[in-house]
Amino acid sequence: MPTSGTVTDRPRTAQIRCKDGNHTLELTDREVVADRLLRTSRKHSFDPDVDVDWDAPQDPDRFYMPPQLVSLYETPLWERLTHRQRVELSKREMCSIASFGIWSELLLMQGLIQHAYRNRYDSGHFAYALTEVADECRHSKMFGQMVKTCGLKTHHVHRIPFAIGKAVNAVYDPMPMFAGVLAVEEFTDAFQRLTFPDEEIQPLIRQVTRIHVIEEARHIKYAREELKRLVARAPAVQRRLAAYGLAQGIRLMSSQVIHPSCYRAVGLDPAFARRVALRSPHRRATMAWSFRKCTEFFKEVGYLDGAARNIWIKAGLLAG
């Protein structure tokens, strides 16, 4: 539980002078944050159709993500693979993560539209929700094009999480929605922040991940600020139930990030390779590291205690 005063739902205000200089407009923190994010969006948004060189050559010996992020790294199966097989596995896992990203962004867009629907249509908060939807539309198109350019096809997650995703968005509940956004975006952000600066990675992948990291930073800020307000208002029972449901959802979804076809493509038995990856100390440490920012934030606002915390630990997504 957060200590007294850690999180407050009391709106602070800021004076923002309008362009005509004749009067000021008093805004709550929510609007201050939205205004800042909108201004940043105008300065730092991208069009993947022109900002990514889709014709960039792909070197068969260059990785598509840092090898330490590949699920089988530091396992006996990794040692058995040739360099070209390791590169191929990195390509397929990167594209698998992109497919997962498209699915999760589609869920996010549905949730954001419902969120915008319930807010004032002349507010900055509403305007930024729609701006984020526009960003996510471009990201989903960009990921799909990336997979296609790599010579592969996108795929859906397993039918169970696919059905759960459909059911979750049938009922509007902003607290788990924004918490889910944070968990998924912090995970992909961690992987991509290691990928785009690495000069040994394929240039195409570096361009795509750089765009995503820059634009997702705004989305993460928006989700964090909104989740703070929602958690502060929520009764303890509601908060704990929502946190438990999120933990179960993330546990299930984290197992869907790498599609079995990735292993089959490099001559491995998918079921066996998946078990090896799940038991790998390096992989478990990598996954816990990738979620560290969101779990630290959840702990800070009182969204990671009791049964929820135990699920994160058992799933290997949080150090005990």
Side-chain angles (χ1 to χ4, degrees):
M1 289 291 291
T3 58
S4 177
T6 300
V7 178
T8 177
D9 193 41
R10 181 175 21 180
R12 297 187 300 273
T13 59
Q15 297 292 327
I16 296 181
R17 186 167 295 279
C18 297
K19 289 184 178 179
D20 61 14
N22 294 327
H23 61 282
T24 58
L25 180 65
E26 190 175 75
L27 301 174
T28 64
D29 275 353
R30 201 187 208 194
E31 289 295 279
V32 172
V33 170
D35 180 70
R36 186 182 305 125
L37 294 175
L38 287 166
R39 283 187 277 111
T40 304
S41 297
R42 287 191 287 270
K43 294 179 182 178
H44 302 291
S45 289
F46 299 87
D47 179 356
D49 289 339
V50 298
D51 293 322
V52 175
D53 180 7
W54 296 107
D55 297 321
Q58 297 180 46
D59 186 337
D61 288 316
R62 271 189 165 188
F63 282 97
Y64 287 74
M65 69 169 77
Q68 65 267 29
L69 299 181
V70 179
S71 64
L72 294 178
Y73 186 75
E74 286 196 351
T75 68
L77 291 182
W78 179 260
E79 298 304 320
R80 284 168 39 187
L81 298 176
T82 66
H83 177 74
R84 287 282 180 92
Q85 285 177 316
R86 292 174 180 178
V87 169
E88 181 68 18
L89 182 58
S90 76
K91 177 173 75 172
R92 290 180 177 269
E93 290 200 5
M94 172 59 76
C95 290
S96 179
I97 293 171
S99 291
F100 173 83
I102 294 171
W103 173 70
S104 61
E105 286 179 343
L106 289 171
L107 293 178
L108 165 59
M109 284 187 271
Q110 292 180 63
L112 281 174
I113 289 294
Q114 292 194 62
H115 186 66
Y117 185 80
R118 289 163 171 80
N119 280 275
R120 278 180 46 194
Y121 301 158
D122 61 345
S123 68
H125 188 77
F126 168 84
Y128 186 75
L130 296 188
T131 299
E132 185 169 335
V133 170
D135 288 346
E136 298 295 11
C137 283
R138 293 194 305 275
H139 293 171
S140 294
K141 286 175 57 183
M142 178 174 69
F143 287 157
Q145 182 63 38
M146 183 192 79
V147 173
K148 185 177 180 180
T149 303
C150 288
L152 302 177
K153 294 182 179 179
T154 57
H155 54 262
H156 286 172
V157 295
H158 188 272
R159 64 180 182 276
I160 294 177
F162 189 80
I164 291 174
K166 289 170 62 178
V168 164
N169 269 334
V171 178
Y172 173 71
D173 192 342
M175 187 162 63
M177 187 268 286
F178 279 108
V181 167
L182 271 180
V184 173
E185 290 186 345
E186 293 282 20
F187 160 72
T188 56
D189 187 71
F191 271 51
Q192 292 173 350
R193 283 182 183 272
L194 281 189
T195 300
F196 85 80
D198 190 336
E199 295 182 357
E200 298 302 315
I201 301 301
Q202 299 281 355
L204 169 67
I205 304 302
R206 293 183 65 199
Q207 293 173 48
V208 168
T209 53
R210 176 178 176 271
I211 288 173
H212 197 246
V213 164
I214 291 172
E215 297 192 334
E216 286 297 318
R218 304 191 293 263
H219 304 174
I220 290 170
K221 175 66 173 177
Y222 185 71
R224 282 188 172 217
E225 293 300 315
E226 193 63 13
L227 187 60
K228 283 181 184 178
R229 285 184 281 270
L230 292 166
V231 171
R233 289 198 301 262
V237 172
Q238 179 188 355
R239 172 177 52 78
R240 288 173 180 162
L241 285 174
Y244 177 82
L246 174 73
Q248 291 286 19
I250 296 300
R251 178 191 62 79
L252 176 60
M253 290 179 184
S254 66
S255 68
Q256 303 297 310
V257 173
I258 305 303
H259 195 268
S261 62
C262 297
Y263 303 128
R264 190 178 300 111
V266 293
L268 299 175
D269 175 73
F272 179 68
R274 183 174 182 273
R275 288 196 298 272
V276 169
L278 289 174
R279 295 169 183 170
S280 163
H282 176 82
R283 182 60 174 179
R284 290 177 70 87
T286 299
M287 293 298 285
W289 163 82
S290 69
F291 282 101
R292 75 196 187 288
K293 288 185 179 179
C294 78
T295 52
E296 287 171 1
F297 177 75
F298 288 162
K299 182 179 179 180
E300 175 190 335
V301 300
Y303 205 76
L304 187 67
D305 53 8
R309 179 182 176 84
N310 293 335
I311 293 169
W312 282 88
I313 293 173
K314 289 179 181 178
L317 305 177
L318 176 68

